Structure formats: structure tokens, C-alpha cells
Amino acid sequence: MADNVNSELLALNQRLLDSIARADWKTYQEFCDPTMTCFEPEAIGQLVEGLEFHHFYFHLGGATAPFHTTMASPHVRVMGDVAVVCYVRLNQSVSGGMPSTSAVGETRVWQKQDGVWKHVHFHRSVPTK
Ligand code: GLY
């Protein structure tokens, strides 16, 4: 049972990441609670609430060159109607014909609302050496 929930959350989270890569706002919005909060490097240390901040980036369009997102070493913790999914996000891209990979740590919090998992908070940080 727990394995099923973990697999469901990992699949949802992967779809969320893929929607970001494709700039698929419809899917992203469907997965997110409208009051979602986040800390991410783009917000330069500020806690952002709501989706408009994120919408800005979707307007810029999706990846135009090959792009692939992997959740490395994912961990899922379900606490009733709340789940924490954390992993290192590997972004593979190609620029000027050269493939490269970048890595960021992400924690994403999901809440089951009326039987549907909604994304309610995330924290992304760039690894330091
Ligand atoms: N910046 C949008 C997200 O990572 O969910």
C-alpha cells in the first residue's frame, strides 16, 4: 500500500517537473494549490506565495533543445494527507551542441485535498561545494 502511494507521488512529481520543462502551464496549474508557497533561487531569498510568480517563467516557453529531468535518489515520506518528496533534480540539456547536466536539491510537499494530491510547497536550493 505504502509503495503504491510512494509510486503515485513520484509519478505525479515527475509529471510536474516535465510540465515545467515543457512550459505546460495548464498541467502545472492543475497540480498546484493556488496558495502554494516556495523558496527557490529565482525568488532571491523571499518566500513566494501563489502561482503568478511561476507563471512568468512559463510565458517564456519550454525547452527548445533536448531536455531531460531526473529525480535522483528520491525519498517519499507520507504523513496522513501530507507527503514530502525530496531528491536531487538532474537537468540534462544541450547548448551549442554540447550536452551538460546541472543539479539542484528539491523538497516538494503534497497535500491530499478532497482525494486529490495537490502541490502546496517546495524548496529548491543549489548545492554548494
Ligand atoms: N519554479 C516552479 C517550480 O519549480 O515548481
Side-chain angles (χ1 to χ4, degrees), residues 30-97:
E30 272 172 21
F31 286 165
C32 297
D33 182 283
T35 66
M36 180 180 78
T37 46
C38 84
F39 284 110
E40 64 175 344
E42 292 89 329
I44 50 173
Q46 302 303 306
L47 177 68
V48 168
E49 181 170 357
L51 301 184
E52 273 314 302
F53 182 85
H54 308 290
H55 200 187
F56 172 86
Y57 297 97
F58 282 74
H59 279 309
L60 301 177
T64 50
F67 192 91
H68 189 253
T69 309
T70 300
M71 289 185 282
S73 306
H75 186 272
V76 179
R77 182 183 299 271
V78 179
M79 296 161 286
D81 285 346
V82 174
V84 174
V85 180
C86 46
Y87 49 88
V88 173
R89 175 174 163 184
L90 297 177
N91 292 318
Q92 293 167 276
S93 59
V94 179
S95 179

Side-chain angles (χ1 to χ4, degrees), residues 20 28 40 54 89 106 108 122 124:
I20 295 168
Y28 185 80
E40 64 175 344
H54 308 290
R89 175 174 163 184
E106 286 193 345
R108 293 193 182 258
F122 73 91
R124 175 165 56 254

